[in-house]
Amino acid sequence: MQTRFVLIQTSHAGNVGGVARAMKVMGFDDLVLVQPRWANVLRREETIQRASGANDVLARARIVDTLDEALDGISHLCATAMTPRDFGPPTRPPREHFAGLLGAGEPPEGVAFLFGSERFGMRNEDVYRCHVALSIPTAPGFGSLNLAAAVQLIAYDWRLALGGFEAPPVVADRAQADAKALSGMLDHLEQALVAVDFLDPLAPKKLMPRLNQLFNRAAPSDEEVHILRGVAKAMLQTAEKAKR
């Protein structure tokens, strides 16, 4: 499905760069500008700096004179408007609309998200052309969003609706220490606890079985077992020095 982001009469070059970056991190690259303030906006230094590496999106972007040109090949139009229009399309939250759009029969061949100028938003006549007006749920008393931030939120919700990307693991998978290594570490720790008078060997109660269960739940790696044995070693050395 083709996805296009359309900026109408954008006045700040930095916002164009910010939009390109917002699109790229969500995997989109079809950007069209309708009558931007700067004819060379895609090459301006502020635009490139704010794009922060999304130069390929800027390189593919097009500048056109009319909204009709921007919508070529698109069948479903989504306005972005905080204020509902009396004679406009229905106003819906993005996720609610996307779920219905993709879950009802044949999905559209192309979807465009339209954003108005920073100062005035979308014109009524442009909103009226759309199938829906997307309203991002914001705090009731302050719904003013930066253009690039609004694009980021819409792009994120749309990417989720399309299936999203698998998040990379925060840490690499690690091998769990085997039972022998864990048993050796517990023996070492027991000696250290006795040495610092934390454990009475004549009345151990259930301390070591409980620690055994604790480390079984924690499933420490070999490296972590080595660290714990290092702690036990330091405890034994400190206890020995204290007896001299």
Side-chain angles (χ1 to χ4, degrees):
M1 187 189 307
Q2 186 174 8
T3 298
R4 181 174 300 161
F5 289 81
V6 179
L7 308 184
I8 304 171
Q9 297 180 336
T10 309
S11 58
H12 296 288
N15 282 339
V16 175
V19 166
R21 180 180 183 180
M23 291 172 56
K24 184 177 177 67
V25 299
M26 290 296 111
F28 302 114
D29 60 6
D30 190 351
L31 173 63
V32 180
L33 284 70
V34 181
Q35 298 178 356
R37 177 184 179 187
W38 310 97
N40 67 339
V41 67
L42 297 174
R43 300 185 301 277
R44 292 180 71 87
E45 182 179 356
E46 184 181 0
T47 306
I48 295 171
Q49 288 180 348
R50 286 283 304 279
S52 190
N55 298 55
D56 53 337
V57 177
L58 294 178
R60 285 185 50 123
R62 297 181 291 120
I63 295 177
V64 297
D65 293 325
T66 67
L67 184 56
D68 281 334
E69 294 174 85
L71 300 178
D72 182 44
I74 298 296
S75 57
H76 188 82
L77 309 182
C78 300
T80 52
M82 186 172 62
T83 305
R85 304 314 202 260
D86 289 339
F87 303 103
T91 299
R92 297 194 183 102
R95 293 187 186 184
E96 175 187 310
H97 180 67
F98 297 160
L101 181 64
L102 298 178
E106 192 72 21
E109 294 182 1
V111 175
F113 301 106
L114 281 57
F115 298 82
S117 71
E118 295 90 334
R119 293 184 62 191
F120 306 111
M122 288 191 64
R123 301 180 303 175
N124 285 341
E125 52 265 40
D126 293 335
V127 175
Y128 294 157
R129 297 183 58 170
C130 297
H131 298 85
V132 66
L134 300 178
S135 181
I136 297 171
T138 57
F142 190 71
S144 178
L145 277 167
N146 169 267
L147 175 58
V151 170
Q152 185 74 83
L153 291 172
I154 294 293
Y156 173 71
D157 278 355
W158 182 234
R159 175 54 65 192
L160 283 182
L162 293 175
F165 296 123
E166 183 178 352
V170 177
V171 294
D173 292 338
R174 56 182 178 82
Q176 180 180 343
D178 61 24
K180 181 178 179 181
L182 190 59
S183 177
M185 182 272 292
L186 284 166
D187 288 343
H188 200 172
L189 184 58
E190 182 177 9
Q191 297 171 31
L193 293 173
V194 170
V196 298
D197 296 329
F198 185 84
L199 173 62
D200 182 355
L202 299 179
K205 299 183 180 179
K206 298 294 184 182
L207 177 60
M208 295 314 298
R210 286 174 176 171
L211 287 177
N212 200 149
Q213 288 301 305
L214 185 155
F215 288 115
N216 281 342
R217 291 195 300 271
S221 65
D222 284 325
E223 182 179 357
E224 290 164 341
V225 165
H226 289 316
I227 292 171
L228 290 168
R229 295 199 70 151
V231 172
K233 181 179 178 181
M235 291 168 64
L236 287 166
Q237 291 173 339
T238 301
E240 182 63 28
K241 290 177 182 178
K243 294 176 181 177
R244 294 174 185 172

